[in-house]
Amino acid sequence: MTVKVIHWGLGAMGGQMAELVATKKGITSVGAIDLDPNKVGKPMAELFEGQTNEVKVSDDATKVLNEKADLVIIATGSFTEEVYPLVEQALNSKKNVICIAEEMAFPAQQQPKLAAQLDELAKKNNVTLLGTGINPGFVLDLQIIALTGVCYDVQRIEAARVNDLSPFGPTVMKTQGVGTSVEEFNKGIEDGSIVGHVGFPESMAMVAKSLGWELDEIKETKEPIISNTHRKTKYVEVQPGMVAGCKHIAYGIKDGETIIKMEHPQQILPETEGIDTGDYINIFGTPEVNMAIKPEIPGGIGTVSVAVNSIANVINAEPGLVTMADLPVPAAIMGDIKDRIKK
């Protein structure tokens, strides 16, 4: 059995997934969907390094989903409501789905009705749906959950991810307010066009559910990170005085006390101002557990890898909507992926 994959969304993350799949044994790309006129009609081999597949990118999702495949990787938006129609169509084609929309990591937290509908739809079609990524999906949820496994008890959790946004595309830059003025940033926060890190409620819900906690409230604060230097990436340019990112903090509250605190100051090229990136988890309990990964696990590479490395787990899973906490811990695919398929 060769695992057959369809790629839906071929931007910064989706394109790298197509390239990573091309390096793995026992897996092949059999379809590609995108609306970019610069990609439509071109063979994947021409667009993505390592791909030898002559399958052409199409803007006709219905046609591509008619192809025989085991799984669809969706790499388009960030919000459950936004990607719902795509996920629905993919599930109805009777294919497993991995989606990297941040809210899809635990959609029941903010979109319980849509989550229930997707779960029902996946079960009806005898397939599995997973939302994942570097964060949410791994750093500030799955890692935390795993580390609590060595604890007698846990009183509270504090975690932070100080990262570099540079690898991400225009969609993420927009949601972070990168390249705006302070006034535009504040206005964007008010009207909802700038959201900071998408996924804090999802990560907190995943951690809390795994530990058996019931949070009374989740509070969030968002502030602009103002650049003192000139910064430029493939997707955005920031002059001194402009916004380079968003300092976003979330508080999970129970009985008036913060029992989960997560910080995520995200910006492009933080090293230009002497800021070291890193991932930090502090579990206050018995025993106390402190973890630091420096520099950060790269966001782009991490998201691409965790999605591709979860393919076998999703194919093996029971039908329905699942989270990363429901599946085995993903491992890098260094052998033949067929060896991991149990079905």
Side-chain angles (χ1 to χ4, degrees), residues 139-159:
V139 173
L140 294 185
D141 32 52
L142 185 61
Q143 273 196 137
I144 293 173
I145 293 166
L147 289 173
T148 66
V150 299
C151 296
Y152 279 10
D153 63 88
V154 177
Q155 281 83 53
R156 75 180 196 278
I157 295 166
E158 295 183 1

Side-chain angles (χ1 to χ4, degrees), residues 242-261:
M242 295 175 67
V243 175
C246 179
K247 182 179 181 181
H248 195 163
I249 304 176
Y251 306 85
I253 300 168
K254 180 177 174 60
D255 299 327
E257 300 290 332
T258 296
I259 59 173
I260 306 177
K261 179 182 178 183

Side-chain angles (χ1 to χ4, degrees), residues 62-85:
T62 301
K63 179 180 178 181
V64 176
L65 291 173
N66 281 332
E67 295 291 332
K68 186 176 180 180
D70 300 291
L71 184 139
V72 180
I73 300 178
I74 298 177
T76 55
S78 294
F79 308 99
T80 300
E81 192 171 20
E82 179 184 8
V83 301
Y84 182 91

Side-chain angles (χ1 to χ4, degrees), residues 5-11 14 17 31-35 58-62 64-65 72-77 83 85-91 93 97-98 100:
V5 174
I6 291 173
H7 304 270
W8 196 338
L10 296 165
M17 288 181 202
I33 307 166
D34 201 277
L35 299 179
S58 173
D59 56 5
D60 187 342
T62 301
V64 176
L65 291 173
V72 180
I73 300 178
I74 298 177
T76 55
V83 301
L86 286 67
V87 176
E88 179 184 34
Q89 188 174 359
L91 293 175
S93 73
V97 175
I98 292 175
I100 65 168

Side-chain angles (χ1 to χ4, degrees), residues 150-177:
V150 299
C151 296
Y152 279 10
D153 63 88
V154 177
Q155 281 83 53
R156 75 180 196 278
I157 295 166
E158 295 183 1
R161 176 165 168 78
V162 183
N163 76 319
D164 183 0
L165 284 175
S166 302
F168 290 90
T171 299
V172 172
M173 297 300 172
K174 182 179 179 181
T175 61
Q176 294 299 314

